[in-house]
Amino acid sequence: MKTKPRLSTAQILNMNFGFLGIQFGFALQNGNASRILQTFGADVQSLSWFWVVAPLTGIIIQPIIGHYSDRTWCKLGRRKPYFLAGAILAALALIFMPNSGALSAVISPLIIGAGMLTIMNASFNVAMEPFRALVADILPDEQRTTGFSIQTFLIGIGAVIGSWLPYVMSEWMGIGKSTPQGEIPVNVIIAFYVGAAVMLGTIIWTIVKTKEYPPEEYRQFQKDEPSEEKSKESLLDIFKDVARMPLTMKQLGIVQFFSWFALFAMWVYTTPAVAAHVYGAVDAKSPNYQVAADWVNVLFGVYNLVAMVFALALPWIAAKTNRKITHSISLICGALGLISIFFITNQYWLILSMVGVGIAWASILAMPYAILAGSIPPRKMGVYMGIFNFFITIPQIICSLSAGPILKHMFHSDATYALLIAGICLLIASGSVVFVRDKH
């Protein structure tokens, strides 16, 4: 069995560059989808119902994409055809979502906006899963922590720019300041256009600059089942793969469940929580609410900026301790950050809260995948990366279905309690890391 050659830092950067564009678009969605849907008529209690499309599409699409990308080879490559298709579809959704109101004479803009959110999330899922598998495919085990950390660094760059762009255009350039009440601000619309262009450009860069191993060469790095069995497998074998998932994946599943429940609650409810708790704005169509929403974009940019920087330190910290300790401590930092929002009423102190969230976010994007990759059979890398997404999407679905009624009936629709619950979930996730087996 051959050993995979080590790659240079530049090669690892090129391999992950497309994720910068994906996260640019993802940050625009996370920071602005709630305000767009609320402008079109959604209330706080129903917000999570619209967001449920994200995990639902992920739980269906990612294992299927993983299964077929494991078996795909064409002139473009193995994983690259999938994240190119996903990027094109996501870019189209980014262009159309903030313009949903233009079709209000034909159909409710709320329905159109929800439909574009569905397409956007499905497309992000098509693009994301093959990127995770690409890193595991090409890099040797000793470089995987570095590979996923650099991926997190580039994710941070894209997310910071995507999060801050609407605020910069509004506050520094005056774009969108005079948008009539009840309409989507112009700065948000333009930011979505820029996001579509950046996503396509970075994906194309990765496709041009990255070489995937052809099937014959890739097989030389494998030590699991012989290739003859591959031809007998079908899409239904995903269910068998689920039943046979490695122990490490099951243990990480608990950690991922509570981590992503917390993240989903944060993405959905930070805007209404900050608007009401800090700015005293509950009407999504009011100018003060739009100011709060722009500030939430800044805060989301802060945590992504912190994640971008902290990601570069993750390989060093993991080498000095281990991957489990690194992840556990990072999650505690995120928990304290989210819990602190409940007690803060000054917009600038929220920046400190986002520092803790950023540390956790960097680790969530890197450590679980670095731990997981060593426990997966190489020829099953794509499908198991897709199955691992179950532990990301299922908690988001549960949060979508439960958060609205919980906030309404227990906390009088106060969205800050959603962030408090999210912080507690990260504490549970941190404790669960102790039981994970990290197999090199």
Side-chain angles (χ1 to χ4, degrees):
M1 184 184 71
K2 288 177 59 178
T3 301
K4 293 178 184 176
R6 293 176 62 87
L7 269 61
S8 67
T9 301
Q11 289 172 310
I12 299 175
L13 281 166
N14 288 334
M15 180 197 315
N16 287 298
F17 196 59
F19 230 124
L20 185 154
I22 293 173
Q23 197 62 31
F24 192 115
F26 200 57
L28 286 170
Q29 172 193 283
N30 289 343
N32 298 282
S34 287
R35 82 195 284 190
I36 290 173
L37 293 172
Q38 284 188 284
T39 301
F40 289 153
D43 54 32
V44 171
Q45 293 82 14
S46 63
L47 270 181
S48 62
W49 291 85
F50 291 101
W51 279 80
V52 76
V53 298
L56 278 177
T57 52
I59 202 170
I60 295 169
I61 289 174
Q62 288 216 12
I64 295 174
I65 294 298
H67 175 87
Y68 283 113
S69 70
D70 281 340
R71 290 152 182 78
T72 295
W73 184 262
C74 64
K75 290 183 178 180
L76 198 57
R78 186 185 191 191
R79 312 291 183 186
K80 292 189 283 189
Y82 293 92
F83 52 71
L84 176 61
I88 292 172
L89 293 173
L92 292 174
L94 282 168
I95 292 171
F96 285 110
M97 184 177 181
N99 292 299
S100 301
L103 300 174
S104 58
V106 180
I107 193 169
S108 168
L110 186 59
I111 295 176
I112 297 294
M116 289 299 105
L117 183 61
T118 302
I119 295 171
M120 196 185 310
N121 275 288
S123 305
F124 283 144
N125 278 292
V126 171
M128 283 182 183
E129 192 283 330
F131 258 107
R132 303 289 192 195
L134 183 71
V135 173
D137 282 346
I138 297 177
L139 293 180
D141 182 76
E142 64 270 17
Q143 281 195 299
R144 282 174 178 162
T145 300
T146 300
F148 286 116
S149 296
I150 288 177
Q151 188 175 93
T152 302
F153 173 75
L154 291 171
I155 285 172
I157 294 176
V160 169
I161 299 172
S163 296
W164 285 356
L165 188 57
Y167 180 86
V168 169
M169 286 194 293
S170 174
E171 298 300 320
W172 296 3
M173 303 178 187
I175 300 173
K177 281 283 190 180
S178 59
T179 302
Q181 183 170 322
E183 295 184 11
I184 304 300
V186 178
N187 59 312
V188 174
I189 296 175
I190 295 175
F192 272 59
Y193 292 165
V194 175
V198 170
M199 180 180 294
L200 286 176
T202 56
I203 290 286
I204 291 171
W205 179 276
T206 288
I207 289 172
V208 172
K209 293 291 186 177
T210 302
K211 175 185 177 294
E212 294 187 78
Y213 296 119
E216 299 76 18
E217 186 177 359
Y218 185 71
R219 268 185 220 113
Q220 298 175 25
F221 303 123
Q222 297 187 33
K223 59 181 179 180
D224 56 331
E225 296 93 334
S227 58
E228 297 86 63
E229 290 190 20
K230 298 179 185 177
S231 60
K232 300 177 183 178
E233 296 181 345
S234 69
L235 186 60
L236 295 177
D237 284 307
I238 291 177
F239 297 102
K240 295 180 183 178
D241 294 327
V242 170
R244 298 168 183 165
M245 74 173 66
L247 176 62
T248 298
M249 182 184 290
K250 296 176 184 178
Q251 295 166 334
L252 279 170
I254 299 173
V255 180
Q256 292 290 85
F257 179 92
F258 288 103
S259 299
W260 285 90
F261 189 102
L263 290 170
F264 188 80
M266 180 187 74
W267 290 330
V268 174
Y269 291 109
T270 298
T271 296
V274 170
H277 192 58
V278 178
Y279 288 82
V282 293
D283 181 5
K285 298 181 180 180
S286 68
N288 212 29
Y289 191 98
Q290 298 303 323
V291 172
D294 283 338
W295 184 247
V296 169
N297 273 311
V298 174
L299 295 176
F300 280 10
V302 168
Y303 87 70
N304 281 291
L305 179 63
V306 172
M308 178 183 72
V309 176
F310 188 68
L312 298 178
L314 281 174
W316 181 84
I317 297 172
K320 293 294 183 182
T321 55
N322 61 53
R323 293 189 283 213
K324 289 167 56 176
I325 292 175
T326 301
H327 194 41
S328 182
I329 294 175
S330 299
L331 292 175
I332 291 174
C333 293
L336 295 176
L338 286 174
I339 292 171
S340 69
I341 296 174
F342 186 81
F343 303 98
I344 293 174
T345 55
N346 182 288
Q347 68 186 85
Y348 298 107
W349 278 106
L350 291 174
I351 294 174
L352 186 60
S353 301
M354 290 297 110
V355 171
V357 173
I359 291 172
W361 179 232
S363 190
I364 289 169
L365 289 174
M367 286 298 111
Y369 296 97
I371 295 171
L372 176 68
S375 69
I376 296 176
R379 75 178 183 87
K380 292 280 189 180
M381 193 62 69
V383 69
Y384 271 124
M385 284 291 182
I387 291 171
F388 191 56
N389 193 58
F390 288 174
F391 301 116
I392 295 174
T393 54
I394 290 174
Q396 293 182 62
I397 292 171
I398 293 174
C399 184
S400 297
L401 299 176
S402 62
I406 289 173
L407 289 180
K408 181 178 180 180
H409 297 294
M410 296 181 65
F411 303 113
H412 307 289
S413 299
D414 186 345
T416 54
Y417 282 94
L419 304 183
L420 181 63
I421 294 170
I424 294 171
C425 285
L426 282 185
L427 286 177
I428 298 172
S430 174
S432 302
V433 176
V434 176
F435 303 100
V436 176
R437 179 190 178 197
D438 187 1
K439 177 184 177 183
H440 288 272

